[in-house]
């Protein structure tokens, strides 16, 4: 505990761009490490990018078919031994409250034929956890880590969209969330948001009109209006109404935003929902995939002073909800064939054993196989929520 406190103190006292240098120095001194690297997952979640000053000279590591990728996917340390050099490289997940940032890679010597002690792996994981928290804080004051996340240059619209997002995954005892946008480096208007309190989880999935900067500006206006209303303690209906007024006041109905708004009551699983447009919801319960039918109401900003009426349903422990934008439903193959609901349902079933943070990436990869490598006609958004429910022990 004293060692961990010293590490955390050293990280807090370091300049934002030096926190990785600090953790590397600590690990090198305590464990005689021969190499320490920080790899952050890129926006497409297909590569792990080494952190370093521009221009980057080291090659990224694929998330799939690599030892660092296995550690990233499983969120567990993975050890790779090189007996000829008497060293082991341990790959440790760098994550904050379920938000997967990347991997800390540490190469240390071991005795011939020996194994890395479990307490050493545990201490290294503590260092990775401490570093993860500091990376999130440091990103407010340095571009070093944000630059490492991009395998190619983002469009300005994509830059605006990614800065708007809360993260790409989140975990609490009651639920696990994961979401992904494509094309990651040229997003148009799709967006997601979430926020949790002691007893409530708010989730928003949006699909804005247009493309490029215009779509990003529209989405930014709506999401910030929703956040403003939520942080004022307004009801879900009033949150929708305020955002509707903000968008209509700016665009007078010429631009609008299709949005799903949810409030999950964590102790009971009761869900309040407003369907203001096209993103759709599917539920997987005991292996059965089915859409959740909702009363469609007007998109945000289409008309002045729209009244929004919440609907209600209930989630049960073991339920999986998937929120999917029309960029998935309407995706066309090179031959002009639309991605079918049957193919979508099959994708949901094939990913049912994966944890929620991995599902969106895999489903979008399957969609890409249908659409081909050409430019996308629209954004594609997939969000997955696994509901665990609140245990009696938690209530006490």
């Amino acid at each position: 505990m004293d060692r961990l406190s010293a590490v955390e103190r050293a990280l807090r006292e370091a300049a934002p761009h030096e926190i990785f240098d600090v953790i590397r120095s600590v690990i090198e001194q305590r464990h005689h490490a021969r190499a320490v690297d920080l790899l952050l997952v890129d926006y497409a979640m297909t590569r792990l990018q080494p952190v370093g000053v521009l221009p980057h000279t080291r090659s990224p590591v694929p998330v799939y078919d690599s030892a660092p990728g296995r550690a990233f996917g499983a969120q567990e340390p993975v050890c790779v031994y090189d007996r000829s050099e008497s060293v082991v490289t341990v790959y440790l997940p760098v994550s904050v409250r379920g938000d997967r940032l990347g991997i800390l890679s540490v190469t240390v010597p071991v005795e011939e034929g020996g194994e890395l002690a479990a307490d050493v792996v545990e201490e290294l994981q503590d260092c990775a956890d401490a570093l993860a928290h500091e990376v999130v804080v440091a990103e407010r004051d340095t571009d070093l880590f944000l630059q490492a996340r991009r395998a190619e240059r983002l469009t300005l619209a994509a830059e605006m969209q990614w800065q708007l997002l809360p993260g790409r995954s989140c975990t609490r005892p009651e639920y696990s969330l994961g979401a992904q946008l494509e094309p990651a480096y040229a997003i148009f208007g799709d967006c997601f948001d979430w926020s949790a309190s002691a007893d409530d989880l708010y989730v928003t999935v949006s699909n804005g009109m247009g493309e490029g900067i215009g779509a990003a500006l529209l989405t930014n206006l709506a999401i910030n209006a929703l956040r403003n209303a939520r942080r004022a303690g307004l009801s879900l209906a009033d949150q929708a109404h305020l955002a509707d007024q903000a968008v209509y006041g700016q665009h007078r109905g010429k631009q609008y935003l299709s949005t799903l708004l949810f409030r999950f009551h964590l102790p009971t699983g009761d869900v309040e929902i407003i369907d203001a447009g096209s993103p759709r919801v599917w539920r997987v319960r005991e292996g059965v995939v089915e859409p959740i039918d909702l009363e469609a109401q007007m998109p945000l900003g289409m008309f002045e002073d729209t009244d929004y009426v919440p609907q209600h349903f209930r989630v049960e422990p073991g339920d999986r909800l998937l929120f999917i934008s029309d960029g998935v439903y309407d995706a066309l193959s090179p031959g002009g064939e639309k991605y079918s609901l049957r193919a979508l349902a099959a994708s949901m079933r094939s990913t049912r054993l994966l944890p929620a943070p991995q599902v969106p990436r895999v489903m979008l990869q399957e969609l890409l196989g249908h659409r081909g490598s050409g430019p996308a006609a629209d954004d594609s958004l997939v969000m997955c929520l696994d509901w665990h429910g609140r245990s009696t022990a938690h209530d006490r």
Side-chain angles (χ1 to χ4, degrees):
M1 183 60 68
D2 291 340
R3 283 187 173 186
L4 179 58
S5 297
V7 170
E8 292 174 337
R9 184 167 57 253
L11 287 170
R12 286 196 299 269
E13 293 173 352
H17 62 280
E18 293 177 340
I19 58 173
F20 172 55
D21 295 328
V22 168
I23 205 76
R24 176 167 52 197
S25 177
V26 168
I27 293 173
E28 287 174 344
Q29 291 175 18
R30 291 187 180 175
H31 301 286
H32 307 290
R34 298 185 184 179
V36 182
D37 288 301
L38 175 59
L39 310 172
L40 296 181
V41 69
D42 83 313
Y43 288 108
M45 298 194 79
T46 59
R47 308 178 192 179
L48 291 161
Q49 303 268 125
V51 170
V53 296
L54 293 177
H56 295 141
T57 57
R58 290 179 295 164
S59 300
V61 178
V63 168
Y64 302 104
D65 299 323
S66 70
R70 291 198 300 275
F72 182 79
Q75 289 295 285
E76 296 285 347
V78 170
C79 294
V80 177
Y81 289 87
D82 184 343
R83 301 298 184 187
S84 64
E85 297 291 334
S86 296
V87 297
V88 57
T89 300
V90 55
Y91 300 103
L92 306 128
V94 178
S95 305
V96 180
R97 296 185 178 91
D99 190 13
R100 305 172 176 204
L101 307 181
I103 290 294
L104 182 65
S105 167
V106 181
T107 301
V108 294
V110 291
E111 295 181 1
E112 185 175 350
E115 301 285 332
L116 190 63
D119 61 338
V120 174
V121 175
E122 183 178 354
E123 184 177 336
L124 291 174
Q125 185 60 66
D126 287 340
C127 289
D129 293 340
L131 177 61
H133 283 269
E134 292 302 321
V135 166
V136 171
V137 175
E139 284 183 344
R140 299 182 304 179
D141 301 307
T142 179
D143 289 334
L144 178 67
F145 304 106
L146 292 171
Q147 287 170 338
R149 295 186 185 206
R150 50 199 69 191
E152 56 188 85
R153 184 170 179 177
L154 273 69
T155 64
L156 177 55
E159 186 86 49
M160 295 167 67
Q161 293 293 79
W162 282 113
Q163 291 302 306
L164 189 63
L165 300 178
R168 280 178 288 181
S169 53
C170 179
T171 300
R172 276 185 54 176
E174 298 89 349
Y175 61 85
S176 180
L177 263 172
Q180 179 64 13
L181 293 166
E182 282 291 340
Y185 292 87
I187 311 167
F188 301 136
D190 284 4
C191 193
F192 57 85
D193 193 26
W194 56 65
S195 177
S197 63
D199 287 332
D200 293 303
L201 167 67
Y202 289 92
V203 175
T204 303
V205 182
S206 301
N207 181 10
M209 286 183 63
E211 59 185 57
I213 294 175
L217 288 170
L218 173 66
T219 303
N220 269 260
L221 173 62
I223 293 297
N224 280 294
L226 289 167
R227 288 174 174 172
N228 178 256
R230 185 184 72 224
R231 292 164 183 170
L234 301 185
S235 68
L236 199 68
D238 287 340
Q239 291 175 33
H241 182 67
L242 189 148
D244 176 65
Q245 287 185 311
V247 175
Y248 185 84
Q250 184 69 28
H251 297 287
R252 314 306 295 180
K254 294 180 181 178
Q255 286 188 286
Y256 45 85
L257 200 83
S258 300
T259 306
L260 285 169
L261 296 91
F262 297 84
R263 183 182 70 86
F264 293 84
H265 189 231
L266 300 180
T268 63
D270 290 333
V271 184
E272 186 179 14
I273 179 172
I274 292 174
D275 178 2
S278 66
R280 308 182 202 181
V281 190
W282 293 71
R283 178 175 60 207
V284 183
R285 176 178 287 174
E286 296 181 350
V288 178
V289 178
E290 57 185 354
I292 295 179
D293 293 325
L294 300 168
E295 180 185 347
Q297 301 178 63
M298 293 298 105
L300 302 180
M302 179 174 279
F303 299 106
E304 189 174 13
D305 292 329
T306 302
D307 288 326
Y308 292 95
V309 179
Q311 297 176 255
H312 298 267
F313 67 96
R314 188 183 182 95
V315 285
E316 299 177 359
D319 280 359
R320 166 169 287 181
L321 300 182
L322 292 125
F323 316 92
I324 299 170
S325 72
D326 58 8
V328 176
Y329 295 96
D330 297 337
L332 299 176
S333 71
E337 180 183 356
K338 183 177 288 190
Y339 195 67
S340 68
L341 295 181
R342 180 179 298 177
L344 181 62
S347 180
M348 293 178 194
R349 283 191 291 269
S350 69
T351 56
R352 68 188 183 279
L353 299 181
L354 293 176
Q358 286 185 248
V359 170
R361 175 70 265 163
V362 173
M363 289 186 65
L364 288 171
Q365 282 293 112
E366 293 180 0
L367 175 68
L368 183 61
H370 169 84
R371 185 174 59 77
S373 58
D378 194 4
D379 291 358
S380 299
L381 183 158
V382 175
M383 178 188 286
C384 179
L385 184 150
D386 283 347
W387 185 260
H388 313 307
R390 179 169 291 181
S391 66
T392 305
H394 189 289
D395 293 335
R396 289 197 299 266

